[in-house]
């Protein structure tokens, strides 16, 4: 996949521009707003542009909305990327083992996968965070636990096809251990379709984290966009900007991840079509 082909796609360009801005916000948050974003910074309920020292105003407690927006980007990116990486790792391992081993192992792992898929992902995350307690690591684990089934099924389908190929048979003939064959020869070739799910998982993870924070189940020591939206509910009529601003940021972040993922998929499909 060449960068020239990738950036011919308007969706990819728009997506990567949005992701670039989101990444810049996350990286520069400690530099531009080095203090505690949860600390009181001024008079409560200042409207946007009323005080240029606090350009997006303050919330009910006098906390800087712009600082919260930047630090919230760090939380959203951290949760989205970590949850996607964990779910793809677990799903790829489960799918590879199931597809390569076959038989009873395949049957047991797929029934476990079915059991997880019968429970709505958000409800599973909600239940786990409610039982264990709200923290960033628990939120990431809860989201990954509800998202690994998709990568597992795709990895299994790819492995079922790849395990019958000649180079796998050759590896068996020369005496390679089945685990070595599965994870060194088969899994790397099964990964591309699995990785195509990453943008969907990241977007879903960002939304799930925001929803958990909105319900008061996010990490209380971190600023989150869902928490900011929830904070603005009490004054929605008199100060709608407290919910609207983080809501817009949330929409654009999910849109950017989706558009970037679509652009990568289209570029890859075009390359394969030309090949």
């Amino acid at each position: 996949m060449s960068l020239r082909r990738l950036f011919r796609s308007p969706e990819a360009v728009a997506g990567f521009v949005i992701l670039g801005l989101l990444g810049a916000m996350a990286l520069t948050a400690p530099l531009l707003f080095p203090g505690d974003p949860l600390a009181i910074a001024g008079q409560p309920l200042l409207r946007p542009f009323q005080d240029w020292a606090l350009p997006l105003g303050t919330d009910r407690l006098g906390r800087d909305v712009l600082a919260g927006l930047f630090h919230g980007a760090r939380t959203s990116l951290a949760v989205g990327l970590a949850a996607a990486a964990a779910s793809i790792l677990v799903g790829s391992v489960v799918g590879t083992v199931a597809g390569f081993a076959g038989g009873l192992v395949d049957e047991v792992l797929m029934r476990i996968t079915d059991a997880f898929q019968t429970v709505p992902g958000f409800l599973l995350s909600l239940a786990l965070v409610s039982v264990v307690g709200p923290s960033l690591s628990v939120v990431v684990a809860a989201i990954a636990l509800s998202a690994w089934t998709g990568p597992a099924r795709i990895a299994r389908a790819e492995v079922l096809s790849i395990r019958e190929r000649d180079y796998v048979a050759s590896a068996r003939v020369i005496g390679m251990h089945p685990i070595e064959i599965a994870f060194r020869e088969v899994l790397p070739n099964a990964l591309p379709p699995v990785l195509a799910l990453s943008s969907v998982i990241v977007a879903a993870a960002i939304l799930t984290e925001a929803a958990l924070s909105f319900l008061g189940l996010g990490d209380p020591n971190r600023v989150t966009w869902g928490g900011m939206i929830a904070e603005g509910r009490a004054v929605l009529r008199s100060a709608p900007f407290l919910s609207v601003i983080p809501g817009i940021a949330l929409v654009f972040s999910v849109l950017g991840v989706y558009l970037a993922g679509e652009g990568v998929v289209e570029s890859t499909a075009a390359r394969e079509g030309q090949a």
Side-chain angles (χ1 to χ4, degrees), residues 212-244:
L212 291 172
S213 297
F214 183 82
L215 295 174
L217 293 173
D219 190 331
N221 299 316
R222 287 179 176 267
V223 178
T224 64
W225 289 341
M228 293 174 70
I229 295 171
E231 176 68 25
R233 280 185 305 172
V235 288
L236 192 59
R237 291 190 177 184
S238 59
F241 66 91
L242 292 179
S243 293
V244 171

Side-chain angles (χ1 to χ4, degrees), residues 181-270:
I181 296 173
F183 289 99
R184 287 189 59 184
E185 303 294 334
V186 176
L187 179 58
N189 293 293
L191 271 182
V194 177
L195 294 177
L197 278 178
S198 58
S199 62
V200 176
I201 297 174
V202 170
I206 291 173
L207 285 176
T208 301
E209 184 278 326
L212 291 172
S213 297
F214 183 82
L215 295 174
L217 293 173
D219 190 331
N221 299 316
R222 287 179 176 267
V223 178
T224 64
W225 289 341
M228 293 174 70
I229 295 171
E231 176 68 25
R233 280 185 305 172
V235 288
L236 192 59
R237 291 190 177 184
S238 59
F241 66 91
L242 292 179
S243 293
V244 171
I245 291 174
I248 291 174
L250 184 62
V251 169
F252 271 93
S253 64
V254 173
L255 182 64
V257 171
Y258 173 77
L259 291 177
E262 283 295 301
V264 171
V265 170
E266 287 181 7
S267 177
T268 304

Side-chain angles (χ1 to χ4, degrees), residues 26-41:
L27 291 173
T28 59
L31 302 175
L32 298 177
F33 305 98
D36 183 0
L38 295 173
I40 295 175

Side-chain angles (χ1 to χ4, degrees), residues 105-129:
V105 173
D106 184 22
E107 188 70 20
V108 170
L109 289 177
M110 286 301 100
R111 295 297 74 78
I112 293 173
T113 304
D114 289 340
F116 273 89
Q117 285 189 310
T118 58
V119 182
F122 178 70
L123 291 183
L124 185 60
S125 301
L126 183 65
L128 182 60
V129 175

